[in-house]
Amino acid sequence: MRGSCERCGKDEEQKEEATAACEHLSRVLEAEQSSEDDSDSDLETEGTHGLGELVRDTLYLRSCQVHSVVPISCFLCQRSAPELNLRHRGLGPQGARALASSLSSSLSVKRLDLRDNGLCGAGAEALAGALSKSSSIHDLDLSDNQLGVAGAQALCAALTVNRAVQKMQLSGNGLEEQAAQHLAELLLAHTDLKSLDLSYNQLNDQAGETLGPALAENTGLTELNVSWNHLRGPGAVTFARGLEANIFLKVLDISYNGFGDPGASAVGEALKTNNVLEELNMSNNRISAMGALSLGLGLRANQTLRILVVSRNPMRSEGCFGLLKSVQDNPASALELLDFSDIQVNTEFDDLANSVKRILPALCIKTGARKVEYKKELLSVFRPALPVSVPK
């Protein structure tokens, strides 16, 4: 019963959207006919901006008829808004094809959000044709669309031709090592791309070996997110070496991978020479105390890193102590946040933290709660009051 009710609700919603779209189509066609009959002076009075929107809507509605899809009423209602938000609309490949025809002629859309629409590779290929011609879209979100290697290839090829897009989110698209080659080519060719999100994909160690050299040669990217992937082993080391040569990247998120001690050591080597990176997230990367000490060698020399997150790593208190000692030994350190969340530390670390705070008063040091002290606090709250004997 619940499934049938949900289907009925979706059917009613689609009918409403279809009705609204048909009404809009009739108004568009009437306006189109009247615009043809108007004099030149009338066109000058109204301007060409509204006419451009009219053309866009007409193209979209006609394309929906060709591809046998229900028009999305909110697309027609957003008109000249700089952001076109169509996330969770169930467009699919056919809906993407219908949308692509109007996007290539639109001059108002600056940000396009198509997250979670089941576009797949075919839908990405359709959008790639529009993106290769659009000069207005600068911010693109295609996350959670099952694009795969075919979709990545089409998009990267389009953005290599047209470099208008400066920010792109491709999170959760099942991108594997085969897609890494196309992404690497994009990093080498598209120097105007400033922010790239590749999180929640399946980029493995082979992908790291492909992306590392491209990262080293990239001359534009300032933010990169490759968290929640499978970068480990030699691929993680090669990727980190790319960071060593990069002179533009300011924010890097490599959390929830498998860099381990070799990867941490490679990042430490990169931090010795990298004088641009400001924020680095390495949480949950299987880094032990030995890996933390290797990472600390980079902190001893680095002068630009402001935020370092190494939470949820098995480095224990010894690793945290080694990292913090490296910061203490670097009077030129720019660190403002050192995050050891969910790692238990001892009193020796606390003593060192107090000493470092006197040297770097602006530094915030986050650690995990100490269970022993927490239990003591609970006991003090719930322990029943003892009877007090009053001397007679």
Side-chain angles (χ1 to χ4, degrees):
M1 287 294 292
R2 181 181 177 184
S4 61
C5 290
E6 289 178 351
R7 283 195 298 272
C8 291
K10 290 182 179 179
D11 290 341
E12 289 298 324
E13 184 178 349
Q14 287 183 345
K15 287 179 181 178
E16 291 177 2
E17 288 199 350
T19 302
C22 290
E23 292 176 355
H24 186 86
L25 176 59
S26 63
R27 291 196 299 269
V28 165
L29 294 176
E30 289 176 4
E32 185 179 17
Q33 182 62 40
S34 63
S35 66
E36 292 176 356
D37 298 334
D38 286 340
S39 63
D40 292 339
S41 60
D42 291 333
L43 286 174
E44 290 175 358
T45 303
E46 294 179 4
T48 59
H49 187 65
L51 189 59
E53 293 174 353
L54 181 67
V55 171
R56 186 199 72 169
D57 293 353
T58 305
L59 286 172
Y60 174 63
L61 291 166
R62 288 177 176 173
S63 186
C64 286
Q65 291 178 335
V66 171
H67 295 288
S68 301
V69 295
V70 177
I72 300 176
S73 58
C74 68
F75 169 73
L76 301 170
C77 295
Q78 292 188 41
R79 304 294 291 172
S80 59
E83 178 178 359
L84 181 56
N85 188 337
L86 300 177
R87 59 169 57 187
H88 315 307
R89 289 284 170 174
L91 288 176
Q94 287 293 90
R97 291 188 179 101
L99 183 66
S101 61
S102 60
L103 285 177
S104 58
S105 63
S106 175
L107 298 176
S108 59
V109 179
K110 307 296 182 185
R111 184 176 192 274
L112 177 61
D113 188 346
L114 297 179
R115 176 185 287 265
D116 184 28
N117 270 288
L119 301 181
C120 300
E125 290 172 358
L127 288 172
L131 291 171
S132 64
K133 302 173 185 175
S134 173
S135 59
S136 64
I137 299 176
H138 301 311
D139 189 342
L140 179 64
D141 190 347
L142 296 177
S143 302
D144 303 322
N145 271 296
Q146 306 157 26
L147 300 183
V149 61
Q153 180 179 7
L155 288 171
C156 292
L159 298 186
T160 301
V161 175
N162 183 1
R163 303 178 184 177
V165 174
Q166 298 178 4
K167 181 179 182 180
M168 182 163 65
Q169 295 171 263
L170 296 176
S171 175
N173 274 299
L175 303 183
E176 300 177 339
E177 59 184 272
Q178 293 85 353
Q181 183 59 47
H182 306 295
L183 294 169
E185 293 172 0
L186 178 66
L187 290 179
L188 292 174
H190 192 352
T191 55
D192 293 322
L193 184 64
K194 304 302 179 186
S195 177
L196 179 61
D197 184 355
L198 299 174
S199 61
Y200 290 92
N201 281 294
Q202 299 171 25
L203 300 172
N204 56 13
D205 51 346
Q206 287 83 8
E209 293 180 356
T210 302
L211 292 173
L215 181 62
E217 297 294 329
N218 178 266
T219 57
L221 204 64
T222 58
E223 297 184 13
L224 177 61
N225 186 350
V226 289
S227 62
W228 291 90
N229 276 280
H230 307 305
L231 297 176
R232 56 175 67 102
V237 173
T238 303
F239 184 89
R241 287 174 180 165
L243 175 65
E244 184 176 354
N246 185 282
I247 58 173
F248 286 86
L249 199 65
K250 293 185 177 181
V251 180
L252 176 62
D253 189 345
I254 52 176
S255 60
Y256 289 85
N257 279 280
F259 271 61
D261 292 345
S265 178
V267 172
E269 288 297 317
L271 291 178
K272 290 180 181 179
T273 56
N274 185 294
N275 59 357
V276 179
L277 192 68
E278 296 180 3
E279 300 180 23
L280 175 61
N281 189 340
M282 296 187 68
S283 63
N284 210 330
N285 260 289
R286 307 176 188 174
I287 302 172
S288 72
M290 183 174 295
L293 293 176
S294 299
L295 180 62
L297 296 177
L299 294 181
R300 191 171 295 173
N302 186 272
Q303 300 181 16
T304 60
L305 194 66
R306 296 186 302 104
I307 298 174
L308 175 62
V309 182
V310 289
S311 60
R312 299 184 179 180
N313 278 295
M315 60 179 61
R316 305 191 306 276
S317 185
E318 294 87 343
C320 298
F321 185 94
L323 277 177
L324 192 56
K325 187 68 171 66
S326 296
V327 176
Q328 184 186 42
D329 295 340
N330 181 5
S333 174
L335 272 178
E336 299 172 4
L337 172 62
L338 189 53
D339 191 343
F340 297 111
S341 297
D342 297 317
I343 304 176
Q344 298 300 318
V345 294
N346 54 26
T347 54
E348 186 180 8
F349 175 89
D350 285 340
D351 294 339
L352 177 61
N354 292 331
S355 300
V356 174
K357 289 284 288 183
R358 286 192 288 270
I359 302 172
L360 301 171
L363 175 62
C364 175
I365 303 172
K366 294 182 65 175
T367 60
R370 284 175 289 279
K371 295 181 180 179
V372 176
E373 292 186 6
Y374 183 64
K375 288 180 180 178
K376 287 181 180 179
E377 291 175 0
L378 286 179
L379 287 173
S380 66
V381 173
F382 293 106
R383 182 186 294 124
L386 298 175
V388 179
S389 58
V390 181
K392 297 180 180 179

